[in-house]
Structure formats: C-alpha cells, structure tokens
Amino acid sequence: MLDLHRSSRMRLALGGVIACVVPIVFVPYWPWSPNNYMRHNWVSVAVVACSYVATVFSLRKLKLFPGMRSAVAGVPLLLTWYALAALALLLLRLPYSLQYIFGGFALSAIWMLLHSVILWRTRRLNLAFVPLGRADRLDEIPGANWIRLDDPQFPQQPDVHAIVADLHAPALDNAWQKFLAQCTLQHIPVYNIRQVEESLTGRIRIRHMYENDLGSLLPSPIYITTKYILDVLLIAISLPVVLPLMLLTAVAIKLDDGGRVFYTQERVGYRGKPFFIHKFRSMTDCDDLNQQQETELSDARITRVGRFIRKTRIDELPQFYNVIKGEMSLIGPRAEYKKFADDLESSVPFYQYRHIVKPGISGWAQVMHGYATGVDETQIKIEHDFYYIKHFSFWLDFLIVLLTIRTVVTGFGSR
C-alpha cells in the first residue's frame, strides 16, 4: 500500500531500543527475579531483539497490501516470532532469562499497540487528483482524503502526500504534463490511477485487464510448491486441536437432525479441473439439487448447528483432506460449484483466469468482501481474486490468515 509516513520507522526503531534496554535495568528488581538473572542475558537480549526486528520487517511487508492494520497484525506477529524463538531455545537447549524475555515481550506489545493508535490517526493519505480520463471520479474511492485539481496548479494545502492522474489520458495536455513533472522535481510523488486503485481497493478492474501483461500475473511455480508443503505442515501441527473439534462437530450434527455428517459437491478447481469438495453439512439433509441453490441471508435450509459452524467456518475443516490431496490450498480463490462457474464464465470477462492458482478454504476475496450474491458482487470478488493472483506471495497469504482469524471471531461475510 502507499506508505508515506516515514516517521513511523523512527518510532518503531525507538520501540526496539526500549524493549531491549529497559528490562536490563528494571527486571533485576522484580521480587521473583533469580540471583543469576544477568548470567545468560545475552541469549535473552538476542531473542527480544531478533523477535522485534522480525516483527517490524513483517509489518513493512504487510503494509504493502490494503486491509492491513497495525492494530490487527502487530501483536499477532510479535506472538508468532516469539513462539518461533521459544521453539529455537528449546531445540537448541540454550540458557535464557524468562523474566527478561517476558519483560521485553510486554514492552514490545505495548509499543506496537501505541504505534498502531498513532498510525491509525495519521495514516489516511491526502491525495490530489487530476480529474481527466479514468481519474474523473477518483474521489469516489474510499481510503484517502481526495483533493480535486481543476487547474495545473499545486493546491494550497501544505500536507498533500501525492498526486494521482491517468497518465495515459488523451486530455492530459502539455500544461498538465509540465505540472506533473514539476511535482516530481519537488519530491512530490506522482502515481498512475491504476496503481492507486489497486493499492486502495485490493482489486484489479476486469475491464482494464487488457492493460496488464498476463505473463507478469503468472504465479511463481516455486511458491506454489512451497505453499503446498507449508499447507501440509500447518495441517499436521493443527491436528491435535482440529481432530477433537471435528469429532464434536460430527456428533452435534448427528444429534441435531440425525442426517448425514458430511456434504460433498463437485467444484471447479486448479486449471479448471473438477473435483469433489468435502464440508460438514450445515443445511437440512435434502436432495443435491436443493443444495446447489445459492445461500441467502437467514436461509431456512440452514440448521441450528449449521448456523454456528458456518459463522465460525468450522464447516470448512473437512477440506483439509482436499488440501492434502493437492486439490486445494489453505489460502486461495473460492472454489465455485460447476454450474455457477459455467454461468459466470459466460457473463464475467476473464473469469477462467482465477483457476490459475489452487482454490482455497479462505482467500483474499472472502476476507475483503465476504459473501457475494448476483453477478455484480461476484465480479467484485473476482477482481479481488485477480489482485491475489498478481500479488501471490507468502506475505499476502499471511495477511489473509490474520484477517481470517478476524472473520472467524466476528463472523464477517457468513451466510
């Protein structure tokens, strides 16, 4: 995402110094600190410093994407890196000071939260735009304070962060081109409209797909393989928690109405190949034709247990089997029912292109837009899918995981 707040870097650097230095001064005075507190302090300092630096680096990577909020990601990232550091300490059997590490973590978490509050108040960008070509309605895009430039003169506001224009607009005459050149000479960034649209909305407009080099949108085959390995490892690690939860869910479904526990449906998957998806049944145990209808708000077919497992996404857990088979991934575009996919292919341009990556249990479109009804909303979700394909990477997947946790907690986008 557009990042024009350089002061945040200094603020985060100061937080790292505080997290590493303050515990050295104060922790020895805690009543529960051992007498040999300082003996292994170098290992503990390394844990706190490395965890903090890794968290800041991760935040900088995640800030490239819309939907990222430091309040959402800062502390979970910190927990993740501290958990990895703790695992390394156990495997390597290194000595450490638990009191120092706890103090460093607490200070780091508090500083991250304070940083997120400051960033939240100052992160909204003031963007001036040239209302020519495709940029004539740019101020309708949320996420920034828009300043309209009707003449090639710099606005009176001293806090304009950047200029946005349709650099390919025929109406962009010599006067405007000279003005934009002067802006860059004065170190005021000038962005093309497509770049800003993608950054603020997390979507790639379908009607503008011809402007993109399709070769540049091909996902990395190396990361596709790496992602499958990570998917299997994460599933294996989660099994001690997931298996009992799945057993309880199966019992609850059976006790609720005595019908089938699992629901199987043919979907369109990777490279357009059909496969059978597995889910916990959340609707009445009716015929398959009825199950193929789109789900509506307050759908009468959803059972009591089904409403809960759909809201919390527990009904998706059997798809771990599809992930292990290589038919799906934990993160990716939604796998559509074949009949719906055929209909969308005829009405939505470039729809088939979303099959260039494996479908996922969760995905960018799901966490950014939620459930879609009708062709217009489905087209918006597909634009999110194209953004995901273009920015296909570990860091975007990690952000989707964080937003998925938010979705599970809040029930965002469920039907």
Side-chain angles (χ1 to χ4, degrees):
M1 191 172 184
L2 301 177
D3 182 14
L4 303 173
H5 299 281
R6 297 183 178 88
S7 60
S8 64
R9 300 177 185 176
M10 295 298 297
R11 191 162 54 243
L12 286 172
L14 178 60
V17 173
I18 291 174
C20 291
V21 174
V22 171
I24 295 178
V25 178
F26 290 100
V27 171
Y29 298 99
W30 293 0
W32 54 83
S33 294
N35 294 329
N36 60 349
Y37 161 75
M38 298 297 292
R39 188 176 64 182
H40 304 304
N41 202 48
W42 68 271
V43 176
S44 306
V45 172
V47 167
V48 172
C50 291
S51 298
Y52 189 89
V53 170
T55 301
V56 172
F57 175 79
S58 302
L59 280 173
R60 292 187 62 185
K61 289 291 185 180
L62 293 179
K63 281 201 298 184
L64 298 174
F65 308 111
M68 160 60 190
R69 298 291 184 269
S70 293
V72 173
V75 176
L77 279 173
L78 197 66
L79 281 169
T80 300
W81 285 111
Y82 266 88
L84 292 174
L87 181 62
L89 290 177
L90 292 176
L91 292 177
L92 298 176
R93 297 183 177 181
L94 295 175
Y96 59 90
S97 167
L98 181 62
Q99 291 79 8
Y100 176 88
I101 292 177
F102 176 79
F105 170 78
L107 289 171
S108 299
I110 293 171
W111 195 266
M112 286 289 175
L113 289 174
L114 292 174
H115 170 73
S116 69
V117 171
I118 296 172
L119 189 62
W120 180 259
R121 292 180 177 178
T122 60
R123 76 189 306 272
R124 193 172 180 88
L125 303 176
N126 296 321
L127 301 179
F129 72 101
V130 179
L132 299 176
R134 282 167 35 206
D136 59 339
R137 295 186 175 181
L138 195 57
D139 52 345
E140 295 178 0
I141 298 179
N145 298 320
W146 295 103
I147 303 168
R148 184 185 179 95
L149 299 179
D150 292 313
D151 300 308
Q153 297 179 358
F154 197 74
Q156 298 297 321
Q157 293 89 330
D159 56 346
V160 171
H161 295 118
I163 308 292
V164 184
D166 180 359
L167 299 181
H168 302 291
L172 201 69
D173 56 21
N174 290 334
W176 279 111
Q177 293 176 16
K178 182 179 179 180
F179 166 73
L180 295 177
Q182 290 175 345
C183 290
T184 57
L185 291 176
Q186 296 177 21
H187 302 285
I188 301 170
V190 176
Y191 294 103
N192 189 30
I193 178 176
R194 191 185 69 187
Q195 184 180 4
V196 174
E197 276 186 324
E198 291 182 17
S199 180
L200 293 177
T201 65
R203 296 157 48 191
I204 294 179
R205 295 297 182 97
I206 293 176
R207 67 176 184 269
H208 300 149
M209 278 290 287
Y210 67 91
E211 297 178 2
N212 295 304
D213 181 2
L214 292 180
S216 68
L217 296 183
L218 291 175
S220 166
I222 297 176
Y223 182 59
I224 289 177
T225 303
T226 304
K227 187 177 180 181
Y228 174 72
I229 296 172
L230 291 173
D231 286 344
V232 174
L233 286 175
L234 289 173
I235 290 174
I237 293 172
S238 68
L239 285 181
V241 175
V242 168
L243 287 178
L245 181 59
M246 292 179 68
L247 179 60
L248 290 173
T249 303
V251 172
I253 293 173
K254 203 68 178 177
L255 292 176
D256 189 26
D257 61 5
R260 294 176 296 175
V261 171
F262 297 104
Y263 168 61
T264 302
Q265 187 185 68
E266 187 180 31
R267 300 286 180 94
V268 180
Y270 185 44
R271 296 181 176 176
K273 296 179 180 178
F275 73 104
F276 287 94
I277 199 171
H278 306 285
K279 301 176 70 174
F280 280 122
R281 182 177 59 85
S282 59
M283 295 186 179
T284 54
D285 199 0
C286 52
D287 57 74
D288 291 337
L289 183 61
N290 191 19
Q291 292 279 13
Q292 292 167 8
Q293 299 175 5
E294 286 196 42
T295 308
E296 304 291 340
L297 279 172
S298 303
D299 199 309
R301 295 172 297 165
I302 302 176
T303 64
R304 291 177 300 174
V305 173
R307 194 165 302 281
F308 174 77
I309 65 176
R310 289 171 74 93
K311 182 176 182 180
T312 57
R313 302 303 197 271
I314 294 175
D315 64 323
E316 312 278 2
L317 291 179
Q319 294 174 46
F320 281 5
Y321 176 66
N322 295 110
V323 175
I324 294 173
K325 287 177 65 179
E327 298 169 333
M328 295 182 66
S329 176
L330 293 178
I331 303 296
R334 173 184 167 85
E336 290 290 353
Y337 170 61
K338 193 175 187 311
K339 181 180 181 302
F340 296 160
D342 292 340
D343 293 342
L344 290 169
E345 183 181 339
S346 63
S347 59
V348 179
F350 302 100
Y351 176 79
Q352 277 191 317
Y353 191 75
R354 68 195 297 274
H355 301 315
I356 199 169
V357 295
K358 292 180 182 180
I361 297 177
S362 183
W364 183 243
Q366 290 94 309
V367 298
M368 292 295 289
H369 187 270
Y371 192 86
T373 57
V375 175
D376 292 339
E377 287 194 16
T378 300
Q379 179 165 313
I380 292 175
K381 290 196 70 173
I382 294 171
E383 291 173 359
H384 284 299
D385 289 335
F386 288 164
Y387 181 92
Y388 173 77
I389 293 169
K390 180 177 180 179
H391 299 279
F392 186 69
S393 64
F394 168 81
W395 294 108
L396 182 53
D397 281 342
F398 188 83
L399 177 58
I400 293 172
V401 170
L402 294 178
L403 296 176
T404 300
I405 295 173
R406 180 204 66 177
T407 299
V408 171
V409 173
T410 63
F412 170 77
S414 63
R415 291 286 174 102

